[in-house]
PDB file of all heavy atoms in Angstrom:
ATOM      1  N   LYS A  49       8.576  -5.246 -18.664  1.00 86.00           N
ATOM      2  CA  LYS A  49       9.084  -4.598 -17.453  1.00 86.00           C
ATOM      3  C   LYS A  49       8.125  -3.499 -16.990  1.00 86.00           C
ATOM      4  O   LYS A  49       7.824  -3.386 -15.803  1.00 86.00           O
ATOM      5  CB  LYS A  49      10.472  -4.015 -17.717  1.00 86.00           C
ATOM      6  CG  LYS A  49      11.096  -3.357 -16.517  1.00 86.00           C
ATOM      7  CD  LYS A  49      12.465  -2.795 -16.839  1.00 86.00           C
ATOM      8  CE  LYS A  49      13.038  -2.075 -15.644  1.00 86.00           C
ATOM      9  NZ  LYS A  49      14.323  -1.448 -15.944  1.00 86.00           N
ATOM     10  N   LYS A 121       7.708   9.977 -11.519  1.00 78.00           N
ATOM     11  CA  LYS A 121       8.510   9.088 -12.366  1.00 78.00           C
ATOM     12  C   LYS A 121       9.896   8.849 -11.790  1.00 78.00           C
ATOM     13  O   LYS A 121      10.552   7.861 -12.118  1.00 78.00           O
ATOM     14  CB  LYS A 121       8.618   9.646 -13.778  1.00 78.00           C
ATOM     15  CG  LYS A 121       9.340  10.967 -13.857  1.00 78.00           C
ATOM     16  CD  LYS A 121       9.440  11.457 -15.274  1.00 78.00           C
ATOM     17  CE  LYS A 121      10.209  12.770 -15.280  1.00 78.00           C
ATOM     18  NZ  LYS A 121      10.423  13.275 -16.610  1.00 78.00           N
ATOM     19  N   ASN A 122      10.375   9.716 -10.905  1.00 80.00           N
ATOM     20  CA  ASN A 122      11.704   9.559 -10.312  1.00 80.00           C
ATOM     21  C   ASN A 122      11.698   8.675  -9.066  1.00 80.00           C
ATOM     22  O   ASN A 122      12.763   8.365  -8.535  1.00 80.00           O
ATOM     23  CB  ASN A 122      12.285  10.929  -9.951  1.00 80.00           C
ATOM     24  CG  ASN A 122      12.573  11.757 -11.172  1.00 80.00           C
ATOM     25  OD1 ASN A 122      12.969  11.235 -12.208  1.00 80.00           O
ATOM     26  ND2 ASN A 122      12.355  13.052 -11.069  1.00 80.00           N
ATOM     27  N   ASP A 123      10.516   8.269  -8.593  1.00 76.00           N
ATOM     28  CA  ASP A 123      10.446   7.468  -7.380  1.00 76.00           C
ATOM     29  C   ASP A 123      11.149   6.127  -7.504  1.00 76.00           C
ATOM     30  O   ASP A 123      11.703   5.622  -6.548  1.00 76.00           O
ATOM     31  CB  ASP A 123       8.984   7.228  -6.977  1.00 76.00           C
ATOM     32  CG  ASP A 123       8.358   8.444  -6.325  1.00 76.00           C
ATOM     33  OD1 ASP A 123       9.094   9.384  -5.991  1.00 76.00           O
ATOM     34  OD2 ASP A 123       7.124   8.449  -6.144  1.00 76.00           O
ATOM     35  N   ARG A 124      11.142   5.539  -8.665  1.00 72.00           N
ATOM     36  CA  ARG A 124      11.710   4.208  -8.854  1.00 72.00           C
ATOM     37  C   ARG A 124      13.159   4.237  -9.325  1.00 72.00           C
ATOM     38  O   ARG A 124      13.759   3.205  -9.569  1.00 72.00           O
ATOM     39  CB  ARG A 124      10.867   3.427  -9.854  1.00 72.00           C
ATOM     40  CG  ARG A 124       9.439   3.249  -9.384  1.00 72.00           C
ATOM     41  CD  ARG A 124       9.014   1.833  -9.534  1.00 72.00           C
ATOM     42  NE  ARG A 124       7.630   1.669  -9.136  1.00 72.00           N
ATOM     43  CZ  ARG A 124       7.275   1.008  -8.062  1.00 72.00           C
ATOM     44  NH1 ARG A 124       8.175   0.468  -7.294  1.00 72.00           N
ATOM     45  NH2 ARG A 124       6.005   0.876  -7.753  1.00 72.00           N
ATOM     46  N   LYS A 125      13.726   5.415  -9.460  1.00 81.00           N
ATOM     47  CA  LYS A 125      15.104   5.514  -9.930  1.00 81.00           C
ATOM     48  C   LYS A 125      16.089   5.331  -8.783  1.00 81.00           C
ATOM     49  O   LYS A 125      15.767   5.525  -7.621  1.00 81.00           O
ATOM     50  CB  LYS A 125      15.334   6.870 -10.599  1.00 81.00           C
ATOM     51  CG  LYS A 125      14.591   6.999 -11.910  1.00 81.00           C
ATOM     52  CD  LYS A 125      14.970   8.252 -12.625  1.00 81.00           C
ATOM     53  CE  LYS A 125      14.284   8.325 -13.969  1.00 81.00           C
ATOM     54  NZ  LYS A 125      14.627   9.558 -14.670  1.00 81.00           N
ATOM     55  N   ASN A 126      17.314   4.981  -9.132  1.00 83.00           N
ATOM     56  CA  ASN A 126      18.372   4.777  -8.148  1.00 83.00           C
ATOM     57  C   ASN A 126      18.927   6.110  -7.658  1.00 83.00           C
ATOM     58  O   ASN A 126      18.853   7.125  -8.344  1.00 83.00           O
ATOM     59  CB  ASN A 126      19.508   3.958  -8.754  1.00 83.00           C
ATOM     60  CG  ASN A 126      19.069   2.561  -9.101  1.00 83.00           C
ATOM     61  OD1 ASN A 126      18.180   2.016  -8.467  1.00 83.00           O
ATOM     62  ND2 ASN A 126      19.684   1.995 -10.108  1.00 83.00           N
ATOM     63  N   VAL A 127      19.520   6.060  -6.468  1.00 83.00           N
ATOM     64  CA  VAL A 127      20.127   7.244  -5.867  1.00 83.00           C
ATOM     65  C   VAL A 127      21.522   6.870  -5.378  1.00 83.00           C
ATOM     66  O   VAL A 127      21.733   5.782  -4.853  1.00 83.00           O
ATOM     67  CB  VAL A 127      19.281   7.742  -4.662  1.00 83.00           C
ATOM     68  CG1 VAL A 127      19.980   8.862  -3.942  1.00 83.00           C
ATOM     69  CG2 VAL A 127      17.910   8.170  -5.108  1.00 83.00           C
ATOM     70  N   ILE A 128      22.448   7.781  -5.574  1.00 85.00           N
ATOM     71  CA  ILE A 128      23.793   7.609  -5.020  1.00 85.00           C
ATOM     72  C   ILE A 128      24.024   8.754  -4.048  1.00 85.00           C
ATOM     73  O   ILE A 128      23.900   9.921  -4.412  1.00 85.00           O
ATOM     74  CB  ILE A 128      24.864   7.616  -6.129  1.00 85.00           C
ATOM     75  CG1 ILE A 128      24.646   6.443  -7.072  1.00 85.00           C
ATOM     76  CG2 ILE A 128      26.252   7.583  -5.512  1.00 85.00           C
ATOM     77  CD1 ILE A 128      25.557   6.442  -8.257  1.00 85.00           C
ATOM     78  N   ALA A 129      24.319   8.402  -2.806  1.00 84.00           N
ATOM     79  CA  ALA A 129      24.576   9.412  -1.785  1.00 84.00           C
ATOM     80  C   ALA A 129      26.028   9.285  -1.340  1.00 84.00           C
ATOM     81  O   ALA A 129      26.514   8.182  -1.074  1.00 84.00           O
ATOM     82  CB  ALA A 129      23.636   9.227  -0.598  1.00 84.00           C
ATOM     83  N   TRP A 160      15.661  -1.833   0.555  1.00 84.00           N
ATOM     84  CA  TRP A 160      16.389  -1.221  -0.562  1.00 84.00           C
ATOM     85  C   TRP A 160      17.739  -1.897  -0.662  1.00 84.00           C
ATOM     86  O   TRP A 160      18.310  -2.378   0.314  1.00 84.00           O
ATOM     87  CB  TRP A 160      16.583   0.265  -0.350  1.00 84.00           C
ATOM     88  CG  TRP A 160      15.329   1.067  -0.303  1.00 84.00           C
ATOM     89  CD1 TRP A 160      14.106   0.693  -0.762  1.00 84.00           C
ATOM     90  CD2 TRP A 160      15.170   2.365   0.241  1.00 84.00           C
ATOM     91  NE1 TRP A 160      13.199   1.692  -0.536  1.00 84.00           N
ATOM     92  CE2 TRP A 160      13.823   2.745   0.072  1.00 84.00           C
ATOM     93  CE3 TRP A 160      16.021   3.267   0.844  1.00 84.00           C
ATOM     94  CZ2 TRP A 160      13.318   3.953   0.489  1.00 84.00           C
ATOM     95  CZ3 TRP A 160      15.521   4.480   1.272  1.00 84.00           C
ATOM     96  CH2 TRP A 160      14.188   4.808   1.079  1.00 84.00           C
ATOM     97  N   LYS A 161      18.291  -1.884  -1.843  1.00 83.00           N
ATOM     98  CA  LYS A 161      19.624  -2.405  -2.058  1.00 83.00           C
ATOM     99  C   LYS A 161      20.620  -1.328  -1.651  1.00 83.00           C
ATOM    100  O   LYS A 161      20.589  -0.214  -2.157  1.00 83.00           O
ATOM    101  CB  LYS A 161      19.797  -2.775  -3.528  1.00 83.00           C
ATOM    102  CG  LYS A 161      21.090  -3.465  -3.840  1.00 83.00           C
ATOM    103  CD  LYS A 161      21.107  -3.864  -5.295  1.00 83.00           C
ATOM    104  CE  LYS A 161      22.417  -4.494  -5.656  1.00 83.00           C
ATOM    105  NZ  LYS A 161      22.466  -4.796  -7.083  1.00 83.00           N
ATOM    106  N   VAL A 162      21.496  -1.638  -0.705  1.00 81.00           N
ATOM    107  CA  VAL A 162      22.444  -0.659  -0.190  1.00 81.00           C
ATOM    108  C   VAL A 162      23.840  -1.051  -0.602  1.00 81.00           C
ATOM    109  O   VAL A 162      24.232  -2.190  -0.493  1.00 81.00           O
ATOM    110  CB  VAL A 162      22.363  -0.583   1.361  1.00 81.00           C
ATOM    111  CG1 VAL A 162      23.346   0.409   1.902  1.00 81.00           C
ATOM    112  CG2 VAL A 162      20.966  -0.219   1.786  1.00 81.00           C
TER     113      VAL A 162
END
Side-chain angles (χ1 to χ4, degrees):
K49 182 180 177 184
K121 64 179 181 177
N122 293 325
D123 283 349
R124 299 228 182 249
K125 291 187 177 179
N126 295 331
V127 173
I128 297 174
W160 296 342
K161 186 176 177 184
V162 179

